[in-house]
Amino acid sequence: MTMGTAALLGRLLPDDDPAELDVRQGQFHQVVLGADRVVCFPRTEAAARRLPARAAVLRVLAGLGLGFRTPEPLLASGDTADDVPFLVLSRVPGAPLTDDALRDSAVAEAVAGQYATLLAGLSEAGADRTVRAALPHAREDGWRRFAAGVREELYVLMSDSGRRRAERELTALVGLPHLTGAVVHGDLGPENVLWEAGGTAGTGGTGGTGGGLPRLGGVVDWDEAALGDPAEDLAAIGAGHGEEFLARVLRLGAWSDDALHDRIATIRASFALQQALAAHRDGDEEERADGLASYAAVVGPGRQRQR
C-alpha cells in the first residue's frame, strides 16, 4: 500500500493496529479487514466506477431480513474529500469453512441445509417489489453478449483446441432460458460464505470459529448480485464444495428437475471464461491469465502456454 493509502486507513480504522490488519486481494478489490469494519479499495478504474451501485445494492440487502448478515455500507469516498476511491463496510462475523470441514457427514448435512435455506430466502426476496426495483435484472441477451465478448476479445489468446472447447461451452450458454425470479449472489464461492460455531455438540469444521456444528454467519462480496437464475449460485456451490455436497443441497432444497441440473452444469462450465473476460475488461492481466489457463492463456508479454 502507498503512504497515502496507509494514512487514509488510519482515519478509516482509527481503533485498529495497522500491524494487525488483514489485507486480502479479490478479483475486483483489495480488502482491508479491521476488527469491526472492512475497507474496500478498487483495483481498477472500472471497479471504482461500480462502487456507488455496489453500496446501493448492499443497502437493499441489509433491509431484507434474510436470516444471515450482509455487509452494510458505512462510508464512501464520495462522502469525503479523499482522492483515493474506497468503500467502508461493516464486518460480517465468521470465517469460511476449512477444506476438510465437509468430510464429516453431520457437518455436511447441517451446512447443506443452511445453504438450501439461504437460496430459498434469496428466491423469495426476488418477488419483493422493492428488491426488483433496486437490483439489476439479468439481461435477456446476457449470455449472447457474453459469448460475443469472449469470441471477440479472448479467442485471439487461445489455442485452436481452447477455442473449440470455448465454442462448445458458449453454444450451450446461449441456449439457456432467461430467468429473473430470484436474487442471485453471483459469486457464491466458499470464500464468500462465513460460518460461526453453533451450540450443538459435534465435530468442528469452521475456520477459526471453534467447535460445534457450523452456523451460517453471513455472506459477503455481493458485487455481482442481480435478479437471475438460481442455477448460477448452485453452480458456484458445486464448484466450491464438489458434486456430492451440491447433491445434498439440491435434495434438501427439493430441487430435483433435470432442467435445473442441466443449467447448473452449463453455467459452471463457463466460470473460467467469466473470470477471464471480466479481468480482461478491467485490465487485470493476472486474473485473465488464470481464467484462460486451460484455454492456452497468455502468461506473459509475447508468450503463450499451450494445453
Side-chain angles (χ1 to χ4, degrees), residues 31-52:
V31 181
V32 182
L33 282 72
D36 57 9
R37 290 185 168 197
V38 174
V39 183
C40 301
F41 294 105
R43 296 180 58 194
T44 65
E45 291 183 5
R49 290 193 295 269
R50 294 193 293 266
L51 282 181

Side-chain angles (χ1 to χ4, degrees), residues 177-189:
H178 179 236
L179 303 174
T180 61
V183 174
V184 174
H185 179 278
D187 188 15
L188 204 61

Side-chain angles (χ1 to χ4, degrees), residues 102 104-117 119-120 234 237-238 242-258 260-261 264:
L102 300 180
D104 183 287
S105 181
V107 171
E109 192 75 0
V111 170
Q114 291 173 83
Y115 264 116
T117 300
L119 292 170
L234 287 161
I237 292 170
E243 290 298 323
E244 182 178 346
F245 181 78
L246 175 61
R248 285 182 186 264
V249 176
L250 292 170
R251 172 176 55 81
L252 292 170
W255 297 302
S256 59
D257 62 289
D258 292 339
L260 173 62
H261 290 216
I264 292 170

Side-chain angles (χ1 to χ4, degrees), residues 24 92-97 190-196 215-220:
R24 302 179 186 178
V92 175
L97 291 173
E191 70 280 0
N192 291 328
V193 185
L194 307 182
W195 301 85
E196 300 176 284
R215 181 181 65 243
L216 178 62
V219 180
V220 299

Side-chain angles (χ1 to χ4, degrees), residues 73-144:
L74 303 175
L75 185 67
S77 47
D79 303 324
T80 71
D82 294 285
D83 294 330
V84 178
F86 67 84
L87 180 62
V88 180
L89 305 172
S90 61
R91 181 166 180 175
V92 175
L97 291 173
T98 57
D99 290 341
D100 62 349
L102 300 180
R103 294 177 184 173
D104 183 287
S105 181
V107 171
E109 192 75 0
V111 170
Q114 291 173 83
Y115 264 116
T117 300
L118 182 164
L119 292 170
L122 293 181
S123 181
E124 182 178 347
D128 184 282
R129 290 184 179 180
T130 302
V131 174
R132 297 195 67 81
L135 265 65
H137 293 226
R139 295 178 59 122
E140 187 170 2
D141 62 348
W143 289 125
R144 289 194 298 274

Side-chain angles (χ1 to χ4, degrees), residues 8 18 27 33-34 55 58 72 96 151 165 201 225-226 246 282:
L8 175 60
Q27 182 172 357
L33 282 72
L58 290 174
E72 296 185 36
R151 290 167 180 141
R165 172 187 163 185
L246 175 61
D282 272 5

Side-chain angles (χ1 to χ4, degrees), residues 55-75:
V57 168
L58 290 174
R59 291 188 186 98
V60 171
L61 293 171
L64 289 180
L66 291 170
F68 56 86
R69 297 181 181 87
T70 59
E72 296 185 36
L74 303 175
L75 185 67

